[in-house]
């Protein structure tokens, strides 16, 4: 966190923050504060708030790498024999509801040894990262071990750890969130009512976002200062290469599903291969998700993202293309269309005479004169 008389900088992602803090110190004064304030305390200062954020895929990768270096609270919890013992005792004493299967059991072989010897043993181990990600985001029984506040929060059912941290820092009252916030719709409503007027600086567009944030915060800058701010680079190429290496389609879907709110809120596109998680994106961006939607409901829905977007906007779906041998029912054209088609279509040439043609002509003449056709005419 960075504090000054002009503004506050809160880091949801610490990557690249040293350069930002150094530049802010030159521009507005102030210094780094090792503490971190939640949204209610930030609001009491009355100062503009800047949030340093990044793509959710980058956020989880940085969190894991920090643990591989032996740093961070999450690393301490996952490698603690005492914490794992408490978790197992709690799960053992937990009684499932009647008629329900207990879904909060820990996979065999997982424990502090697994965290120390596998998950955090090698910062280049792709498979270790993916299993760690599953442990952090997917295993229900581990949520309170990962973060007790998140595990106790109603949003843990459908939102990830990054979303939880975002709300604590930038939404008033989120630290003690009411149990009624149990769906994407309710989460959106809470954000609309209680979010701080913060200005976000994304790592992927560091210079331009910081410049816009300083302008919004009312910080005067000279032309040379503006050029220095705009020149900040976020190291996107190297980060994208790491994302491609560590994330497979399943891992991307998991993060996309759990952090759907932030994908929409911070303007990030859902990752390629996100699959059913795109429904969560539609819910987050349109603020029209169904009440009570959960992680499992969003994961299992087969609905296409285009249909979801249409439903949210109140549009009706277009006609469905026929498949196989089925053909769509013909729709009669309007009268004007028929006349236009008739003019555009050349008349077919008359058929050549056949033996039946003279007989038909004789009958037409007889009908016109009231006479009876002659035998010769009939046999012609």
């Amino acid at each position: 966190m960075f504090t000054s008389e002009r503004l506050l900088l809160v880091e949801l992602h610490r990557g690249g923050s040293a350069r930002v803090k150094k530049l802010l110190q030159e521009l507005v004064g102030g210094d780094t504060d090792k503490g971190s304030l939640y949204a209610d305390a930030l609001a009491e200062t009355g100062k503009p708030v800047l949030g340093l954020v990044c793509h959710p895929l980058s956020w989880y990768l940085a969190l894991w790498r920090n643990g591989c270096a032996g740093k961070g609270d999450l690393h301490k919890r996952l490698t603690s024999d005492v914490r794992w013992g408490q978790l197992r005792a709690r799960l053992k004493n937990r009684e499932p509801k009647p008629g329900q299967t207990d879904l909060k059991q820990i996979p065999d072989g997982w424990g502090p040894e697994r965290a120390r010897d596998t998950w955090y043993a090698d910062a280049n181990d792709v498979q270790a990262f993916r299993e760690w990600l599953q442990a952090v985001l997917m295993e229900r029984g581990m949520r309170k071990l990962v973060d007790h506040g998140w595990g106790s929060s109603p949003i843990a059912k459908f939102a990830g750890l990054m979303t939880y941290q975002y709300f604590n820092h930038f939404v008033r009252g989120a630290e003690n969130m009411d149990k009624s916030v149990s769906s994407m719709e309710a989460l959106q409503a809470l954000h609309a009512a209680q979010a701080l007027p913060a200005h976000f600086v994304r790592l992927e567009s560091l210079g331009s976002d910081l410049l816009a944030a300083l302008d919004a915060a009312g910080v005067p800058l000279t032309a040379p200062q503006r050029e220095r701010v705009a020149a900040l680079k976020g190291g996107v190429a190297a980060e994208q290469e790491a994302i491609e290496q560590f994330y497979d389609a399943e891992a991307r879907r998991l993060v996309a599903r759990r952090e759907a709110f932030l994908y929409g809120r911070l303007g990030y596109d859902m990752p390629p291969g996100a699959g059913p998680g795109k429904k969560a994106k539609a819910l987050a961006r349109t603020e029209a998700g169904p009440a009570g939607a959960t992680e499992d409901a969003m994961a299992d829905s087969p609905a296409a993202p285009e249909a979801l977007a249409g439903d949210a906007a109140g549009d009706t779906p277009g006609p469905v293309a026929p498949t196989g041998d089925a053909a769509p029912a013909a729709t009669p054209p309007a009268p004007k269309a028929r006349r236009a088609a008739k003019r555009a279509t050349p008349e077919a040439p008359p058929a050549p005479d056949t033996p039946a043609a003279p007989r038909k002509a004789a009958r037409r003449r007889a009908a016109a004169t009231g006479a009876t056709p002659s035998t010769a005419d009939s046999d012609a």
Side-chain angles (χ1 to χ4, degrees):
M1 181 174 174
F2 178 87
T3 63
S4 75
E5 293 298 321
R6 299 297 302 268
L7 54 82
L8 303 172
L9 176 71
V10 179
E11 308 138 85
L12 196 61
H13 177 68
R14 298 184 184 277
S17 64
R19 290 176 296 137
V20 175
K21 292 177 181 178
K22 182 179 179 180
L23 181 55
L24 287 177
Q25 190 173 35
E26 296 176 14
L27 296 175
V28 299
D31 205 353
T32 298
D33 189 341
K34 292 185 178 180
S36 182
L37 299 179
Y38 283 169
D40 293 299
L42 291 172
E44 290 177 0
T45 68
K47 298 177 182 179
V49 176
L50 275 61
L52 184 61
V53 298
C54 69
H55 196 290
L57 296 179
S58 298
W59 192 85
Y60 281 102
L61 188 55
L63 187 64
W64 174 72
R65 284 171 167 171
N66 197 46
C68 289
K71 301 177 181 179
D73 291 337
L74 180 56
H75 172 269
K76 291 180 181 179
R77 290 190 291 271
L78 292 182
T79 57
S80 169
D81 294 275
V82 174
R83 293 291 184 94
W84 276 93
Q86 294 171 344
L87 172 64
R88 289 196 173 100
R90 185 167 59 247
L91 294 178
K92 182 179 180 181
N93 296 328
R94 177 182 177 273
E95 295 183 2
K97 296 179 180 180
Q100 289 187 348
T101 302
D102 189 355
L103 301 178
K104 291 190 176 183
Q105 295 303 315
I106 305 301
D108 293 338
W110 283 17
E113 300 86 359
R114 185 73 173 179
R116 291 190 294 261
D117 301 338
T118 301
W119 297 345
Y120 289 128
D122 183 358
N124 295 311
D125 190 336
V126 172
Q127 295 305 320
F129 166 74
R130 292 174 185 173
E131 186 175 289
W132 169 90
L133 187 67
Q134 179 183 0
V136 170
L137 276 182
M138 189 172 177
E139 294 299 329
R140 293 180 58 203
M142 290 186 59
R143 288 174 186 167
K144 289 187 178 180
L145 176 62
V146 171
D147 188 298
H148 189 273
W150 174 55
S152 302
S153 172
I155 72 171
K157 296 178 181 179
F158 63 94
L161 184 61
M162 186 180 179
T163 295
Y164 174 74
Q165 294 291 350
Y166 169 92
F167 268 75
N168 279 342
H169 288 301
F170 303 111
V171 181
R172 293 183 293 270
E175 188 179 0
N176 298 304
M177 195 176 294
D178 189 82
K179 291 184 178 181
S180 62
V181 186
S182 58
S183 69
M184 182 67 74
E185 184 180 39
L187 193 68
Q188 292 282 3
L190 176 64
H191 187 273
Q194 299 293 337
L196 298 179
H199 313 289
F200 291 98
V201 180
R202 296 168 297 180
L203 180 66
E204 296 79 12
S205 49
L206 193 56
S208 59
D209 281 2
L210 181 58
L211 188 60
L214 291 174
D215 288 342
V219 177
L221 299 174
T222 64
Q225 288 174 333
R226 297 181 71 84
E227 291 179 1
R228 288 187 61 194
V229 173
L232 282 176
K233 303 296 182 183
V236 177
E239 190 66 15
Q240 184 60 36
E241 183 178 346
I243 287 174
E244 294 295 332
Q245 176 185 356
F246 282 91
Y247 283 93
D248 60 1
E250 182 180 355
R252 290 171 184 265
R253 283 195 298 269
L254 177 58
V255 174
R257 197 165 64 237
R258 302 292 283 171
E259 305 300 346
F261 174 87
L262 290 181
Y263 273 93
R265 174 67 183 90
L266 301 176
Y268 291 117
D269 291 331
M270 296 296 270
K278 292 182 179 180
K279 177 177 180 181
K281 175 185 177 183
L283 295 176
R285 287 192 170 176
T286 61
E287 301 188 12
T294 64
E295 165 197 357
D296 297 331
M298 288 188 286
D300 297 336
S301 172
E306 294 81 1
L308 292 165
D311 291 343
D315 296 334
T316 55
V320 178
T323 57
D325 297 328
T331 302
K336 290 184 178 180
R338 289 198 299 269
R339 290 195 294 271
K342 186 175 181 180
R343 289 194 298 270
T345 305
E347 294 184 0
D353 288 339
T354 64
R359 292 197 296 270
K360 292 180 180 178
R363 293 192 187 99
R364 288 197 294 270
R365 289 196 299 270
T369 59
T372 302
S374 65
T375 306
D377 290 339
S378 299
D379 296 338

